[in-house]
Amino acid sequence: MHAKRFGRPGGWQNADLPPADDAQAWFEGRLPDAWFLGVEVIVDREEITVIGTLPDEGVEPAMAEGRIARFREETRERRIGIALDAQARYGRKVSWGVRLGESEALFTHISVPVMTRLKQPERQVLDTLVDAGVARSRSEALAWAVKLVGRHTESWLAELRTAMEQVDKLRAQGPAL
């Protein structure tokens, strides 16, 4: 009998989730070839986001919004079927989006509440962003700040994720008690 292990992979929140390591390949194999030039699959605890790149031959920037809307309507039923299969396989909601030239649109995505405790100086930062009109609420200001940090520290975050994967592997190999 194995002792219960604490900590990662993914923390206790992921304990009952099926692995989604193969999600990129699964979607690449499952999606119709004619839909996308390429696809990016992003996985976290709650959601799988599938963003496909549409062919942009002859599409002017002013046409992009209409082309994206047409793709969304024409593929809706099939995307729903694929999403249901993926949700059964991976235990996460599936969200969809596309890229067309310089345009990107998310059709569906979930917004997950995240509880946090902030001291007054951190709340004042959020309130400044709200008062300045950068955000409509503290929640939106916090989301904006997280996006900004993520954009400016992506290489460091990638190194951290790689290191965490190595810790997960070592923990899995660890001594059985």
Side-chain angles (χ1 to χ4, degrees), residues 111 126 129 135 137-150:
S111 183
L126 298 179
L129 294 171
S137 65
R138 283 179 172 175
S139 176
E140 190 175 282
L142 186 56
W144 179 85
V146 168
K147 287 178 197 170
L148 186 65
V149 169

PDB file of all heavy atoms in Angstrom, residues 111 126 129 135 137-150:
ATOM      1  N   SER A 111     -14.551  31.681 -16.767  1.00  0.00           N
ATOM      2  CA  SER A 111     -13.923  32.624 -15.863  1.00  0.00           C
ATOM      3  C   SER A 111     -14.007  32.014 -14.475  1.00  0.00           C
ATOM      4  O   SER A 111     -15.102  31.780 -13.959  1.00  0.00           O
ATOM      5  CB  SER A 111     -14.661  33.960 -15.929  1.00  0.00           C
ATOM      6  OG  SER A 111     -14.022  34.905 -15.123  1.00  0.00           O
ATOM      7  N   LEU A 126      -4.673  48.009  -6.793  1.00  0.00           N
ATOM      8  CA  LEU A 126      -5.859  47.662  -7.584  1.00  0.00           C
ATOM      9  C   LEU A 126      -6.824  48.836  -7.676  1.00  0.00           C
ATOM     10  O   LEU A 126      -7.369  49.124  -8.752  1.00  0.00           O
ATOM     11  CB  LEU A 126      -6.559  46.442  -6.981  1.00  0.00           C
ATOM     12  CG  LEU A 126      -5.750  45.146  -6.929  1.00  0.00           C
ATOM     13  CD1 LEU A 126      -6.577  44.035  -6.291  1.00  0.00           C
ATOM     14  CD2 LEU A 126      -5.266  44.741  -8.304  1.00  0.00           C
ATOM     15  N   LEU A 129      -5.724  51.370 -10.230  1.00  0.00           N
ATOM     16  CA  LEU A 129      -6.042  50.935 -11.592  1.00  0.00           C
ATOM     17  C   LEU A 129      -7.521  51.144 -11.899  1.00  0.00           C
ATOM     18  O   LEU A 129      -7.882  51.550 -13.009  1.00  0.00           O
ATOM     19  CB  LEU A 129      -5.648  49.477 -11.795  1.00  0.00           C
ATOM     20  CG  LEU A 129      -4.150  49.181 -11.740  1.00  0.00           C
ATOM     21  CD1 LEU A 129      -3.890  47.677 -11.726  1.00  0.00           C
ATOM     22  CD2 LEU A 129      -3.428  49.857 -12.889  1.00  0.00           C
ATOM     23  N   ALA A 135      -9.155  49.526 -15.274  1.00  0.00           N
ATOM     24  CA  ALA A 135     -10.009  48.366 -15.008  1.00  0.00           C
ATOM     25  C   ALA A 135     -11.325  48.854 -14.410  1.00  0.00           C
ATOM     26  O   ALA A 135     -11.385  49.940 -13.821  1.00  0.00           O
ATOM     27  CB  ALA A 135      -9.310  47.410 -14.050  1.00  0.00           C
ATOM     28  N   SER A 137     -13.065  47.004 -12.133  1.00  0.00           N
ATOM     29  CA  SER A 137     -13.226  46.461 -10.784  1.00  0.00           C
ATOM     30  C   SER A 137     -11.874  45.969 -10.282  1.00  0.00           C
ATOM     31  O   SER A 137     -10.923  45.830 -11.057  1.00  0.00           O
ATOM     32  CB  SER A 137     -14.216  45.299 -10.805  1.00  0.00           C
ATOM     33  OG  SER A 137     -13.675  44.224 -11.566  1.00  0.00           O
ATOM     34  N   ARG A 138     -11.830  45.681  -8.995  1.00  0.00           N
ATOM     35  CA  ARG A 138     -10.603  45.095  -8.446  1.00  0.00           C
ATOM     36  C   ARG A 138     -10.291  43.767  -9.118  1.00  0.00           C
ATOM     37  O   ARG A 138      -9.134  43.455  -9.392  1.00  0.00           O
ATOM     38  CB  ARG A 138     -10.745  44.884  -6.933  1.00  0.00           C
ATOM     39  CG  ARG A 138     -10.608  46.126  -6.109  1.00  0.00           C
ATOM     40  CD  ARG A 138     -10.787  45.808  -4.645  1.00  0.00           C
ATOM     41  NE  ARG A 138     -10.472  46.963  -3.804  1.00  0.00           N
ATOM     42  CZ  ARG A 138     -10.631  46.974  -2.495  1.00  0.00           C
ATOM     43  NH1 ARG A 138     -11.097  45.900  -1.865  1.00  0.00           N
ATOM     44  NH2 ARG A 138     -10.329  48.048  -1.797  1.00  0.00           N
ATOM     45  N   SER A 139     -11.321  42.979  -9.373  1.00  0.00           N
ATOM     46  CA  SER A 139     -11.124  41.680 -10.024  1.00  0.00           C
ATOM     47  C   SER A 139     -10.490  41.855 -11.404  1.00  0.00           C
ATOM     48  O   SER A 139      -9.541  41.155 -11.760  1.00  0.00           O
ATOM     49  CB  SER A 139     -12.475  40.966 -10.140  1.00  0.00           C
ATOM     50  OG  SER A 139     -12.335  39.766 -10.833  1.00  0.00           O
ATOM     51  N   GLU A 140     -11.020  42.790 -12.186  1.00  0.00           N
ATOM     52  CA  GLU A 140     -10.452  43.034 -13.508  1.00  0.00           C
ATOM     53  C   GLU A 140      -9.040  43.603 -13.410  1.00  0.00           C
ATOM     54  O   GLU A 140      -8.165  43.270 -14.217  1.00  0.00           O
ATOM     55  CB  GLU A 140     -11.363  43.995 -14.289  1.00  0.00           C
ATOM     56  CG  GLU A 140     -10.991  44.122 -15.742  1.00  0.00           C
ATOM     57  CD  GLU A 140     -11.991  44.994 -16.497  1.00  0.00           C
ATOM     58  OE1 GLU A 140     -13.076  44.482 -16.820  1.00  0.00           O
ATOM     59  OE2 GLU A 140     -11.659  46.174 -16.748  1.00  0.00           O
ATOM     60  N   ALA A 141      -8.790  44.450 -12.413  1.00  0.00           N
ATOM     61  CA  ALA A 141      -7.445  45.003 -12.216  1.00  0.00           C
ATOM     62  C   ALA A 141      -6.450  43.901 -11.875  1.00  0.00           C
ATOM     63  O   ALA A 141      -5.320  43.894 -12.366  1.00  0.00           O
ATOM     64  CB  ALA A 141      -7.466  46.067 -11.112  1.00  0.00           C
ATOM     65  N   LEU A 142      -6.867  42.961 -11.036  1.00  0.00           N
ATOM     66  CA  LEU A 142      -5.989  41.849 -10.681  1.00  0.00           C
ATOM     67  C   LEU A 142      -5.704  40.976 -11.905  1.00  0.00           C
ATOM     68  O   LEU A 142      -4.560  40.569 -12.138  1.00  0.00           O
ATOM     69  CB  LEU A 142      -6.604  41.016  -9.555  1.00  0.00           C
ATOM     70  CG  LEU A 142      -5.743  39.903  -8.986  1.00  0.00           C
ATOM     71  CD1 LEU A 142      -4.405  40.435  -8.478  1.00  0.00           C
ATOM     72  CD2 LEU A 142      -6.479  39.196  -7.861  1.00  0.00           C
ATOM     73  N   ALA A 143      -6.730  40.709 -12.713  1.00  0.00           N
ATOM     74  CA  ALA A 143      -6.526  39.931 -13.945  1.00  0.00           C
ATOM     75  C   ALA A 143      -5.561  40.656 -14.874  1.00  0.00           C
ATOM     76  O   ALA A 143      -4.673  40.042 -15.478  1.00  0.00           O
ATOM     77  CB  ALA A 143      -7.861  39.685 -14.639  1.00  0.00           C
ATOM     78  N   TRP A 144      -5.710  41.963 -15.003  1.00  0.00           N
ATOM     79  CA  TRP A 144      -4.818  42.773 -15.845  1.00  0.00           C
ATOM     80  C   TRP A 144      -3.378  42.668 -15.340  1.00  0.00           C
ATOM     81  O   TRP A 144      -2.446  42.472 -16.123  1.00  0.00           O
ATOM     82  CB  TRP A 144      -5.302  44.225 -15.829  1.00  0.00           C
ATOM     83  CG  TRP A 144      -4.474  45.165 -16.633  1.00  0.00           C
ATOM     84  CD1 TRP A 144      -4.573  45.421 -17.971  1.00  0.00           C
ATOM     85  CD2 TRP A 144      -3.405  45.989 -16.144  1.00  0.00           C
ATOM     86  NE1 TRP A 144      -3.633  46.356 -18.342  1.00  0.00           N
ATOM     87  CE2 TRP A 144      -2.902  46.718 -17.234  1.00  0.00           C
ATOM     88  CE3 TRP A 144      -2.835  46.177 -14.888  1.00  0.00           C
ATOM     89  CZ2 TRP A 144      -1.861  47.619 -17.116  1.00  0.00           C
ATOM     90  CZ3 TRP A 144      -1.788  47.075 -14.770  1.00  0.00           C
ATOM     91  CH2 TRP A 144      -1.315  47.786 -15.874  1.00  0.00           C
ATOM     92  N   ALA A 145      -3.196  42.760 -14.015  1.00  0.00           N
ATOM     93  CA  ALA A 145      -1.855  42.692 -13.438  1.00  0.00           C
ATOM     94  C   ALA A 145      -1.227  41.320 -13.664  1.00  0.00           C
ATOM     95  O   ALA A 145      -0.040  41.215 -13.985  1.00  0.00           O
ATOM     96  CB  ALA A 145      -1.917  43.015 -11.940  1.00  0.00           C
ATOM     97  N   VAL A 146      -2.017  40.265 -13.526  1.00  0.00           N
ATOM     98  CA  VAL A 146      -1.505  38.910 -13.744  1.00  0.00           C
ATOM     99  C   VAL A 146      -1.068  38.739 -15.197  1.00  0.00           C
ATOM    100  O   VAL A 146      -0.012  38.167 -15.484  1.00  0.00           O
ATOM    101  CB  VAL A 146      -2.556  37.848 -13.338  1.00  0.00           C
ATOM    102  CG1 VAL A 146      -2.160  36.475 -13.822  1.00  0.00           C
ATOM    103  CG2 VAL A 146      -2.751  37.861 -11.836  1.00  0.00           C
ATOM    104  N   LYS A 147      -1.875  39.239 -16.149  1.00  0.00           N
ATOM    105  CA  LYS A 147      -1.495  39.160 -17.571  1.00  0.00           C
ATOM    106  C   LYS A 147      -0.194  39.905 -17.825  1.00  0.00           C
ATOM    107  O   LYS A 147       0.681  39.428 -18.551  1.00  0.00           O
ATOM    108  CB  LYS A 147      -2.594  39.753 -18.451  1.00  0.00           C
ATOM    109  CG  LYS A 147      -3.818  38.909 -18.559  1.00  0.00           C
ATOM    110  CD  LYS A 147      -4.862  39.613 -19.408  1.00  0.00           C
ATOM    111  CE  LYS A 147      -6.228  39.000 -19.194  1.00  0.00           C
ATOM    112  NZ  LYS A 147      -7.286  39.795 -19.809  1.00  0.00           N
ATOM    113  N   LEU A 148      -0.051  41.082 -17.239  1.00  0.00           N
ATOM    114  CA  LEU A 148       1.153  41.888 -17.426  1.00  0.00           C
ATOM    115  C   LEU A 148       2.385  41.170 -16.883  1.00  0.00           C
ATOM    116  O   LEU A 148       3.418  41.094 -17.549  1.00  0.00           O
ATOM    117  CB  LEU A 148       0.969  43.247 -16.741  1.00  0.00           C
ATOM    118  CG  LEU A 148       2.066  44.271 -16.959  1.00  0.00           C
ATOM    119  CD1 LEU A 148       2.124  44.681 -18.430  1.00  0.00           C
ATOM    120  CD2 LEU A 148       1.823  45.491 -16.081  1.00  0.00           C
ATOM    121  N   VAL A 149       2.273  40.616 -15.691  1.00  0.00           N
ATOM    122  CA  VAL A 149       3.399  39.881 -15.099  1.00  0.00           C
ATOM    123  C   VAL A 149       3.731  38.666 -15.966  1.00  0.00           C
ATOM    124  O   VAL A 149       4.900  38.394 -16.257  1.00  0.00           O
ATOM    125  CB  VAL A 149       3.081  39.459 -13.648  1.00  0.00           C
ATOM    126  CG1 VAL A 149       4.116  38.475 -13.133  1.00  0.00           C
ATOM    127  CG2 VAL A 149       3.014  40.680 -12.752  1.00  0.00           C
ATOM    128  N   GLY A 150       2.697  37.928 -16.396  1.00  0.00           N
ATOM    129  CA  GLY A 150       2.927  36.755 -17.238  1.00  0.00           C
ATOM    130  C   GLY A 150       3.642  37.098 -18.527  1.00  0.00           C
ATOM    131  O   GLY A 150       4.541  36.384 -18.974  1.00  0.00           O
TER     132      GLY A 150
END
